[in-house]
Each structure stands twice: as C-alpha cells, then as structure tokens.
Amino acid sequence: MHELVAEVWRGDFLESVHHGSVVAVDGDGKQVFAVGQPDDLTFPRSSNKPFQALAMVRSGLDLDGELLALACASHSGEPFHIEGVRRILAGAGLTEHDLQCTADLPLGEQAKADVLAAGGGKAPIYMNCSGKHAAMLATCVANGWPTENYLDADHPLQLAARAALEDLAGEPVGAIGVDGCGAPLFAITLTGLARAFGRLAAAPAGSPEHRVARAMSRHPEWVGGTGRDVTELMRGLPGAVAKDGAEGVYGIGLPDGSAVAVKIADGSSRARPVVLVAALRRLGVDVDAIASVADVAVLGHGVRVGELRPAFVMVSA
C-alpha cells in the first residue's frame, strides 16, 4: 500500500529502494499533498514524545528550557544528557534507580564508546528515552500519582498522554501497543501525526503547547545530540519542531502550522531525512539551510560512491 519514496544509488547503479508514505498539511490541518497511505494507522514511536511531554506540562510538570526539551528527546547519551536526566530526577526527589525504561547503552557512537571504555555497561539512564521517563516520574510526584506503575496504560499519566495526542491529532487512537522503552504506544494516522506537529509548532505564546515547542526549537541538541539530523533540522529552520521515531517515522511542524510526516515502510532510518526534506521543499520551504540533512552518502571503502535520492511524486489533496 506504500509507494516508492527513495532510491539508493551506488555510482550509476540503482542498488536498493525504499517505499513509504508521506503527507503534508497546511495551517488548518488539511492535507496539501500526500503519497502512499497517509490515512492508515501508524505507531509514531518516538515522534510521539513531544505530545507525551505536552500531557506532562498540562498535568503540572514544572520544567522548561533544556530539561523540557530532554523530556521530548531520543537523546544520544552524551554527558550533558545524562546529567540533565539526573537533574530532573533530583528535582522530584528521585534517582536513576526509579527509572523503568529498558537498560541500554547510549545511542550515540562516541558516548557508547566512552561508557564502555570506562568499564560501564547497559543502564536505564543511558537509554535514549530516559529523559522522557524521568519527566514522567516527576509528573507523577507532582500529582501524587503512584510511580511504581507509571507505565501501565490505565495509569493517570498515560491516560493524559493519550488524551493530548488525540487532542492535537484531531482523531481517536486506533490501537495501543508497547514502545521499546516500555511506555504505552498509541497509533494514529500519519495525517493526524502531521496535524499534531503543526498545531504544536503554531501554538499561541503562553500555552502548554508553546512551552514544549519553544523548548525543543531553542534547545535542539537536547532533543537529539551532536551531529543528529533532528538537531540540525531545528537549528536550520528557526521555530520548527521536529522529532524522529523508530521504524522510519519522522514529523516536523513549522511556525505557520504547516507540517510534514513520513513513514518508511521497511523501518529504515536512512531514508527518513531525505524524504522529509524533499517534502518540505515541495511544501515551499526554503531548505538551503538544511541541505546537509538530506545528503545521505553511499560509501565504498570509506569513500563516497553514491547517495540516497528522493523518488516520489506528491499528489495534491
């Protein structure tokens, strides 16, 4: 049901292809153009984190700036990320032992190497979702909610997260699963995901949505990390709110409320930025400042011998 969205060229030889779905919406949340099946249900994976953070802010989470951005993060596990997670926990009178996310090594290659070189190993705090989990725990403490079962789908925190996503997406959740970190995962359409990003990015000053969007756009390195494409997207497009997700998902909202969401059918991450930037260009966004994000090289013996190229035709709604 998906369509061809990216090609992998090694020299002048077409080596591989990626299929997927893409959708763009305007400031009113209406489809501008689409390819594939944008109205099929999709698990947003970590692209849902800004809306989980929104639920926390609506529920009284007292974070702003870089720590609120970290609550939205799939961080690389760099030292400043880990220190930030500990700050969130300490502010709630908790420690890393209260985290219930999956034990892991840092997502960033250098951060991972540093942990291993120091004799460390997998731990919940190193997992890329630990900022979100720390903020979830802090929200529970602020509300007097139990912390031992904060990952249960019927916990007040998770019910609030579901409500926030449904509110901004403008549609009901169609399925529930469990994310890689153990938190409940809610399925919506790709169009609904784009609509949610647009509403977050264009939210009025002073609103909880604006607090989340401002934190992310002003502190993009806390959402991703050094050299991450999601970090460079927000640096290059002032006011934009972007979040990558596992299994080939990407969402970005712009200050005028327009937005793009992408799902790569085979779950590959390498095609995501190429397709996303091509869709932004089709939407009329000046992408010169983020051209490097879409430059995904194919290597041969460590030398560039090809690249990924967008390969789809948007159909206007």
Side-chain angles (χ1 to χ4, degrees):
M1 301 296 288
H2 295 281
E3 296 186 20
L4 179 67
V5 294
E7 298 174 338
V8 182
W9 287 85
R10 187 172 294 274
D12 58 2
F13 184 84
L14 177 60
E15 184 173 34
S16 303
V17 296
H18 294 284
H19 293 79
S21 295
V22 188
V23 64
V25 299
D26 62 18
D28 294 322
K30 298 178 181 178
Q31 280 191 18
V32 178
F33 53 78
V35 62
Q37 298 294 324
D39 294 323
D40 284 355
L41 289 174
T42 299
F43 278 134
R45 301 301 300 270
S46 285
S47 293
N48 186 38
K49 284 176 178 173
F51 314 111
Q52 292 170 311
L54 172 61
M56 297 183 234
V57 172
R58 287 180 172 180
S59 299
L61 177 66
D62 187 22
L63 291 180
D64 276 301
E66 70 272 12
L67 294 185
L68 182 52
L70 186 59
C72 305
S74 298
H75 63 73
S76 294
E78 296 171 72
F80 68 92
H81 294 130
I82 305 308
E83 185 269 340
V85 174
R86 291 187 172 125
R87 283 166 57 195
I88 295 174
L89 290 167
L94 302 170
T95 73
E96 61 189 271
H97 299 293
D98 294 291
L99 294 169
Q100 293 182 28
C101 49
T102 310
D104 204 353
L105 289 167
L107 188 64
E109 290 301 320
Q110 186 58 56
K112 181 190 301 184
D114 290 344
V115 167
L116 292 174
K122 293 182 178 181
I125 198 167
Y126 293 138
M127 194 202 186
N128 72 86
C129 302
S130 63
K132 177 185 76 175
H133 281 253
M136 284 182 167
L137 285 164
T139 304
C140 290
V141 170
N143 285 278
W145 295 335
T147 57
E148 66 273 8
N149 65 334
Y150 74 95
L151 296 182
D152 289 355
D154 59 355
H155 190 284
L157 172 71
Q158 304 304 340
L159 294 176
R162 175 174 178 165
L165 180 61
E166 290 181 331
D167 179 22
L168 266 68
E171 63 184 49
V173 163
I176 301 176
V178 179
D179 211 341
C181 66
L185 186 60
F186 305 116
I188 56 173
T189 67
L190 203 62
T191 300
L193 183 62
R195 190 182 299 118
F197 269 96
R199 289 176 174 171
L200 189 71
S207 65
E209 293 87 344
H210 182 256
R211 278 178 60 187
V212 173
R214 179 180 60 189
M216 293 178 68
S217 64
R218 290 185 177 179
H219 305 278
E221 68 280 5
W222 290 79
V223 178
T226 303
R228 293 273 295 282
D229 53 74
V230 68
T231 300
E232 298 309 313
L233 274 173
M234 288 188 282
R235 279 181 177 160
L237 298 174
V241 177
K243 186 67 190 73
D244 47 351
E247 296 300 322
V249 179
Y250 224 140
I252 186 168
L254 303 171
D256 65 356
S258 60
V260 170
V262 170
K263 165 67 177 179
I264 306 301
D266 62 12
S268 171
S269 63
R270 66 178 179 177
R272 290 181 314 189
V274 175
V275 174
L276 184 71
V277 172
L280 287 170
R281 182 182 293 110
R282 169 68 173 78
L283 192 58
V285 176
D286 183 352
V287 298
D288 286 351
I290 56 171
S292 61
V293 171
D295 185 16
V296 179
V298 171
L299 303 179
H301 198 50
V303 178
R304 184 188 184 110
V305 295
E307 67 278 325
L308 269 71
R309 303 173 188 171
F312 56 88
V313 177
M314 292 291 193
V315 177
S316 297

